[in-house]
Amino acid sequence: MKKILLSLATAMLLVPTAFSQVYLDAKAPIEERVEDALERLTLEEKLGLIHAQSKFSSAGVPRLGIPTVWCTDGPHGIRAEVLWDEWNTAGWTNDSVTAFPALTCLAATFNPNMSLLYGRAIGEEALYRGKQVLLGPGVNIYRTPLNGRNFEYMGEDPCLSATMVVPYIKGVQAQGVAACVKHFALNNQEDGRHTTNVHVSDRALYEIYLPAFKAAVQQGGAWSIMGSYNRYRDQYACHNQYLLQDILRKEWHFDGAVISDWGGCCNTDQAIHNGLDMEFGSWTNGLTEGKSNAYANYYLADPYRDLILAGKVGTEELDQKVRNVLRLIFRTSMNGYVKYGALCNEEHQSVARRIAGEGIVLLQNNGGLLPIKKEVKKILVVGENAIKPLTVGGGSSSLKVKYEISPLAGICERAGKDFDVKYVRGYVGTGATVQDGMVSGAEMEDKRPVAEVQAEAVAAAREADLVIFIGGLNKEGHQDCEGVDRLQYELPYGQDEIIAKLAAVNPNIVFVNISGNAVAMPWLQQVPAVLQGWFNGSEAGHALADVLFGDVNPSGKLPFTIMPALTDYPAHQMGAEVYPGVSNEHYPILMEEYYKEDLFVGYRYADLSPKARKALTGVACKSQPLFAFGHGLSYTTFAYSDVKLEGRFLTVTITNTGDRAGKEAVQLYVAPQKPKVARPVKELKAFKKIALEPGESRTVKFEIKDEMLQYFDDQKHEWTLDAGKYQLLVASSSADIRGKAMYEVK
Ligand code: GLC
């Protein structure tokens, strides 16, 4: 018997490796799985893994049981299923989803816990829909209020974006779905996005534009990154030596997969050598070429194979790409988890409503007009955005939703029998929205003359106790939409005119800006209450009503600066080469753009004196923000006291001095004193959101870490801490400093 067992054991050891399939073993170390799978692959199979086979999928290896990789937009919800090689929807009847608030709203919560909830919920929806890669979140910095896709991103400040993106990624990837952080890098506008060559200093690159991506990789552990369309240092970002090799791989040690934007790859040699792992969206009829440019013609498909077979390139780059793709697969579809996700359940809907309610920003509330008082009986709701579905449209983040509660529906539902709610159009924008074969709001056609529409609204306003104007932008072309920037800073469709007319007949008026961007507010003195309402998805109407009626005490803070006019932004003071870019003198189709405002984006510019502003841009702009970065009111009030610095720890006591519970995002800014190099007056370096009952006090503690004080020395190419004094500012907004302490680095 013993002999038999011994010979059996020996036989087992000799069994050919083909049967010890380590790559299939989800408990095996992932790098062993990668190497085991790699050595089993043929050249054709390797190439199949690194480029698309359809609009949103890349091939697996059927022979080895390695699944197809399915990608899906977008940052706010799971895009409707599309046909194999189309952008248009496939007409499925089981792919309606939850639309979560736009990421500007998530950023405005200043609450990383909300990001974790968000990531988990959207990750579950992606998993349920059978997707392995979620094409989001986006963290490009808000450099200009005209950028068509600011609503998909997290504002103007690198610390806010970096802090808020990490939990989102962790939440998504906890479901076994890869986040694909985009668009790496310097994709800060939509105009000319496919060709613009961005010129930016190393300091601005490292201190402003990269931190959120670095945090996504190093703290978030992002499993994939999407290269952007634009160029940097003359190379397309989807195959860019500096961004993808020098920074992403060598400096940040990224071990995930680099995925091109759709159509972002345009050169085989650079794609081979500069770090692109997966090529999507190149030559199909969804972009610029007909079906004849089938997937075999992708740059990393037959052209790459031909170079290898001709001995012109080796296979080491190919194997590295395949390793990154295999690692992505073993982290997602082959991770061995027994998880199935969930779709449109009450938990997700509650998360969407909660984040929206916590991200809405109460910008102004003169006379305490809000929350709506019970003495108010007749409420007039005005504006197309009160009824227009806004989850369809805006480009790749467009969604087919299970439902969408409009602001009007939310207000009517909450008002119930206690209030008499009337609605008038007030202004007519574009009526129905059509995208990817989906039509929403078809019933919104309104052919009446403007004068008639306005007269109706003014007459109704005379009779109302409260007017709630719901306007803003609407994700139509040039109105916060992918592919094109806004054409103006002012509100479109004659909104400014009707708002002024309504305010003239009824001083009790609220303006709700449904947008992902700042807008001009020429009527601000006549409108006592102003809310930044965001594109808030399926639960938009419920969340807005929660805030308007006071069921939720607003606690959002602005993730970007709202200046009075477009020319008050530095990107709009130095001519076309600074924005939107100018034609390259030799190749007019290629744009060149120079970020000459450098570090001084948003409040970093607003903090400058007119003299310093003139030195920077040549314009002695004296304008101050209408509403500052980090600003947001509450229905209660908060006092800051006892600011103390002990060693590396700064503490401050926050007290709710009002009569109702509320939340406050306590912000910590650092102001270097007499720095040796040009530095912003102050920079956000930490924030904490706390909830306080009326009368309750809580002490908030911040640890002062060296990296909060450092700047990027572009001569030494490293982060540097200079000795000296650094003023620590505890604040309720970048323009509302509540306490100070001096920190010294010997
Ligand atoms: C688009 C967008 C990108 C999106 C991709 C797929 O052009 O730039 O954000 O994920 O293509 O739709």
Side-chain angles (χ1 to χ4, degrees):
M1 182 57 179
K2 202 171 174 184
K3 272 194 178 164
I4 294 171
L5 284 176
L6 199 59
S7 55
L8 194 60
T10 312
M12 284 301 286
L13 282 175
L14 298 175
V15 76
T17 51
F19 295 101
S20 59
Q21 296 167 316
V22 170
Y23 77 97
L24 288 173
D25 176 2
K27 292 185 180 54
I30 195 161
E31 295 313 316
E32 287 181 26
R33 297 181 72 186
V34 167
E35 295 308 319
D36 179 54
L38 180 66
E39 69 185 25
R40 298 168 187 268
L41 297 171
T42 65
L43 174 61
E44 286 305 324
E45 289 167 340
K46 290 180 182 178
L47 289 165
L49 285 166
I50 65 170
H51 65 79
Q53 66 173 359
S54 76
K55 184 61 74 189
F56 282 101
S57 76
S58 54
V61 186
R63 176 177 67 87
L64 296 176
I66 295 175
T68 296
V69 175
W70 282 98
C71 302
T72 179
D73 288 314
H76 309 148
I78 309 308
R79 183 173 186 158
E81 198 68 25
V82 298
L83 295 171
W84 184 252
D85 185 38
E86 307 287 342
W87 291 112
N88 277 350
T89 54
W92 285 19
T93 54
N94 62 349
D95 58 348
S96 297
V97 297
T98 307
F100 297 95
L103 295 194
T104 34
C105 176
L106 175 60
T109 68
F110 272 67
N111 186 346
N113 298 331
M114 293 295 115
S115 287
L116 184 60
L117 289 176
Y118 197 121
R120 279 190 192 137
I122 196 172
E124 285 185 345
E125 302 231 342
L127 184 61
Y128 190 85
R129 289 270 299 104
K131 310 298 181 184
Q132 284 77 46
V133 181
L134 175 70
L135 302 173
V139 287
N140 293 103
I141 289 296
Y142 185 118
R143 169 179 182 256
T144 164
L146 300 187
N147 176 25
R149 292 181 85 174
N150 277 332
F151 70 96
E152 291 189 43
Y153 307 146
M154 297 189 177
E156 73 187 31
D157 181 81
C159 170
L160 177 63
S161 297
T163 306
M164 294 300 287
V165 75
V166 167
Y168 178 116
I169 294 164
K170 288 186 176 297
V172 170
Q173 298 189 162
Q175 314 315 315
V177 174
C180 183
V181 184
K182 65 188 187 182
H183 304 83
F184 189 65
L186 297 167
N187 184 182
N188 304 98
Q189 66 192 56
E190 290 302 290
D191 280 6
R193 66 173 175 162
H194 288 281
T195 69
T196 298
N197 187 29
V198 174
H199 302 260
V200 63
S201 73
D202 277 0
R203 287 202 61 201
L205 178 67
Y206 278 80
E207 294 185 36
I208 303 293
Y209 296 101
L210 291 183
F213 289 102
K214 182 178 181 184
V217 167
Q218 296 196 329
Q219 292 152 46
W223 292 339
S224 64
I225 286 267
M226 184 188 290
S228 58
Y229 285 127
N230 55 284
R231 290 179 294 142
Y232 167 64
R233 296 176 67 172
D234 301 318
Q235 286 185 4
Y236 284 93
C238 286
H239 28 72
N240 187 297
Q241 170 69 28
Y242 313 102
L243 294 175
L244 301 181
Q245 303 288 54
D246 301 349
I247 296 172
L248 191 59
R249 298 287 179 190
K250 294 188 189 121
E251 291 181 18
W252 296 352
H253 309 301
F254 176 61
D255 73 350
V258 175
I259 297 175
S260 76
D261 200 339
W262 266 237
C265 176
C266 53
N267 179 301
T268 290
D269 181 62
Q270 288 195 16
I272 294 170
H273 295 103
N274 290 354
L276 179 64
D277 296 316
M278 300 177 89
E279 175 190 359
F280 276 90
S282 294
W283 294 88
T284 70
N285 65 353
L287 283 173
T288 54
E289 299 299 321
K291 281 198 187 296
S292 61
N293 297 285
Y295 296 95
N297 289 356
Y298 270 46
Y299 296 94
L300 290 180
D302 292 2
Y304 189 10
R305 182 202 56 202
D306 297 347
L307 286 173
I308 290 171
L309 295 179
K312 291 185 179 156
V313 294
T315 56
E316 55 276 15
E317 293 88 359
L318 174 59
D319 286 351
Q320 196 46 36
K321 296 176 197 303
V322 170
R323 285 190 180 91
N324 293 331
V325 177
L326 288 170
R327 198 171 300 115
L328 179 69
I329 294 171
F330 294 147
R331 285 170 164 165
T332 55
S333 49
M334 293 179 76
N335 61 27
Y337 296 1
V338 182
K339 280 177 177 252
Y340 304 98
L343 196 64
C344 298
N345 59 15
E346 282 181 16
E347 183 203 339
H348 295 174
Q349 289 148 12
S350 139
V351 163
R353 181 169 183 167
R354 194 171 152 196
I355 292 168
E358 184 148 340
I360 287 171
V361 186
L362 179 58
L363 294 174
Q364 182 168 280
N365 191 21
N366 298 340
L369 187 63
L370 292 176
I372 295 172
K373 305 293 179 287
K374 55 181 180 308
E375 295 75 40
V376 166
K377 284 299 159 234
K378 291 185 285 182
I379 296 174
L380 176 68
V381 178
V382 188
E384 181 170 283
N385 272 0
I387 60 171
K388 182 176 172 67
L390 289 169
T391 50
V392 173
S396 58
S397 62
S398 176
L399 295 170
K400 175 164 88 172
V401 293
K402 199 85 174 173
Y403 66 88
E404 177 180 356
I405 305 295
S406 70
L408 180 61
I411 290 167
C412 289
E413 185 182 318
R414 176 58 180 75
K417 304 248 179 301
D418 302 342
F419 303 86
D420 164 28
V421 179
K422 187 173 169 12
Y423 173 72
V424 291
R425 191 70 168 259
Y427 72 92
V428 179
T430 51
T433 298
V434 182
Q435 180 172 326
D436 302 339
M438 285 189 292
V439 180
S440 82
E443 70 290 346
M444 293 181 54
E445 293 306 309
D446 186 333
K447 301 268 187 244
R448 292 176 296 163
V450 169
E452 187 182 329
V453 174
Q454 290 193 354
E456 174 196 46
V458 170
R462 289 182 198 283
E463 308 306 316
D465 299 327
L466 179 70
V467 177
I468 302 174
F469 187 95
I470 301 183
L473 308 175
N474 60 11
K475 294 191 184 177
E476 296 289 342
H478 305 293
Q479 304 300 344
D480 278 359
C481 180
E482 177 176 342
V484 287
D485 285 343
R486 291 164 68 196
L487 299 173
Q488 62 185 46
Y489 186 58
E490 293 72 24
L491 286 166
Y493 315 128
Q495 292 179 66
D496 288 337
E497 185 184 7
I498 183 60
I499 291 168
K501 288 182 175 176
L502 295 172
V505 300
N506 192 326
N508 296 327
I509 181 169
V510 182
F511 173 70
V512 183
N513 186 28
I514 306 290
S515 79
N517 261 316
V519 297
M521 299 181 182
W523 31 259
L524 189 58
Q525 303 313 316
Q526 289 75 45
V527 175
V530 179
L531 285 162
Q532 179 60 34
W534 309 121
F535 295 120
N536 272 340
S538 291
E539 285 289 331
H542 284 151
L544 181 60
D546 288 343
V547 169
L548 288 170
F549 287 90
D551 301 336
V552 165
N553 185 357
S555 62
K557 300 278 187 180
L558 275 181
F560 50 72
T561 305
I562 299 181
M563 295 298 264
L566 185 61
T567 50
D568 296 327
Y569 291 88
H572 297 276
Q573 294 179 1
M574 296 177 270
E577 66 173 14
V578 172
Y579 176 87
V582 292
S583 291
N584 176 292
E585 55 185 325
H586 306 298
Y587 305 99
I589 191 172
L590 297 181
M591 303 298 281
E592 303 291 331
E593 188 172 33
Y594 301 80
Y595 286 11
K596 284 186 176 174
E597 78 282 8
D598 203 61
L599 302 166
F600 303 96
V601 174
Y603 70 87
R604 289 171 168 82
Y605 171 78
D607 282 346
L608 296 176
S609 66
K611 181 165 173 280
R613 292 180 182 183
K614 184 168 176 59
L616 176 71
T617 71
V619 176
C621 167
K622 295 181 175 55
S623 300
Q624 292 307 310
L626 295 179
F627 300 106
F629 171 84
H631 168 76
L633 300 176
S634 169
Y635 294 145
T636 186
T637 48
F638 298 100
Y640 288 52
S641 60
D642 302 332
V643 176
K644 287 197 196 80
L645 178 61
E646 287 161 359
R648 279 187 173 275
F649 293 95
L650 182 83
T651 54
V652 56
T653 299
I654 314 294
T655 303
N656 178 343
T657 46
D659 59 2
R660 56 168 299 162
K663 293 182 181 179
E664 171 75 337
V666 183
Q667 299 154 49
L668 172 69
Y669 295 84
V670 172
Q673 307 297 292
K674 300 191 181 62
K676 284 190 283 187
V677 295
R679 295 187 74 173
V681 170
K682 68 173 182 288
E683 297 182 288
L684 180 72
K685 292 298 178 184
F687 53 90
K688 290 195 176 164
K689 187 139 194 193
I690 57 172
L692 293 172
E693 293 301 316
E696 183 184 3
S697 292
R698 176 129 12 110
T699 297
V700 173
K701 180 186 281 190
F702 294 104
E703 181 181 3
I704 308 306
K705 299 172 185 159
D706 284 353
E707 59 261 30
M708 292 177 172
L709 313 173
Q710 292 173 334
Y711 67 93
F712 187 77
D713 183 324
D714 51 1
Q715 304 309 313
K716 297 182 204 160
H717 198 79
E718 62 185 20
W719 286 92
T720 302
L721 173 60
D722 283 349
K725 293 186 176 179
Y726 297 83
Q727 192 165 57
L728 307 178
L729 307 170
V730 179
S732 183
S733 90
S734 62
D736 183 359
I737 309 303
R738 301 291 189 86
K740 297 177 182 179
M742 194 62 78
Y743 185 85
E744 186 161 6
V745 174
K746 304 294 183 196

